[in-house]
Amino acid sequence: MDSPADNPADDPVESTDTDRPADGRDRDDEGRARNARPRDGLGRPLPYGAEGVPRQPEGVVRAPDDTVAEAQRLLDGGQPFHAHEVFEDAWKSGPDGERELWRGLAQLAVGLTHAARGNATGGARLLRRGAASVTGWAASESGRQRPYGMDLDAVAGWARGLAGEVEAGVRVDAAARAPRLRG
C-alpha cells in the first residue's frame, strides 16, 4: 500500500444488515444524517430489518385538537415516545403563547417513555418538569386551565403521582399508565 487511498479499510463496506446504507450512515432526502433504524413503541432503535412501529413524520403542522387526539391515540397504544414527537411538532409550529404548554406535554410523554424503559431517575425528573411546565403555563397570562379540552390539573396530578411511584420502584407499562389528556 503506497498511499492511504490504497487502504481497503477506507473503501465503503457493503452492509450485511438489511436496509442499512453501504456507507453506514442513514441520510434523509436532503443529505442530513438521520437514523432510519426501525423503532419500538418506546422509541428504542431496533436492528435493521426488524419490524418496528411506524415512526411519526417530523414537522407536521396539525390543528391543536388534532395534536391532542393523535397524541392520546399514541399514548393509549403504549407509544409515548411517538406522542412526544407529535407534541414537539406543536411546540415548534404553534403560536408563541402556547409553546410552553406543548413543551410541557412533550416532557410528560418523554418522562413516561423513560419510566417505561426503567429509567426511574430520568422518568421522574421529566414527569415533574412537564407537570410544572403545564401548570405554569395554565397560570400564565397566555394560559388556560382547559386548553383544547385538556384537564391540565389532572394531567399534572397524574405526572406527579407517577413520578413518585417510579421513584419507589414501581414498574411502568406505558399503555396501562397513559394519562387521559381530556379527563
Side-chain angles (χ1 to χ4, degrees), residues 11-165:
D11 293 337
V13 177
E14 289 300 315
S15 173
T16 57
D17 291 332
T18 306
D19 300 327
R20 185 179 182 123
D23 70 358
R25 198 83 200 249
D26 297 319
R27 303 257 174 211
D28 66 13
D29 293 338
E30 296 169 8
R32 292 182 302 235
R34 293 268 192 240
N35 190 325
R37 286 172 56 185
R39 304 259 174 177
D40 70 6
L42 295 176
R44 293 176 290 216
L46 300 170
Y48 285 96
E51 188 164 333
V53 299
R55 293 178 81 167
Q56 287 297 306
E58 293 182 32
V60 176
V61 178
R62 297 173 182 85
D65 282 322
D66 294 338
T67 294
V68 174
E70 178 65 2
Q72 187 70 68
R73 182 186 72 77
L74 292 163
L75 289 165
D76 291 345
Q79 299 179 39
F81 177 82
H82 303 281
H84 134 268
E85 297 286 357
V86 171
F87 287 136
E88 191 172 272
D89 285 341
W91 163 19
K92 291 179 178 179
S93 68
D96 287 343
E98 292 183 359
R99 290 200 174 161
E100 186 69 11
L101 166 67
W102 301 115
R103 183 174 69 90
L105 291 167
Q107 289 171 329
L108 292 172
V110 172
L112 178 56
T113 300
H114 282 283
R117 289 178 178 175
N119 176 359
T121 301
R125 185 174 293 139
L126 282 162
L127 287 163
R128 286 195 177 97
R129 186 180 304 155
S133 291
V134 298
T135 56
W137 178 84
S140 75
E141 188 175 308
S142 301
R144 303 185 300 284
Q145 288 299 315
R146 292 190 64 91
Y148 312 109
M150 291 185 286
D151 185 345
L152 297 183
D153 284 338
V155 170
W158 161 85
R160 288 184 192 105
L162 184 58
E165 290 178 39

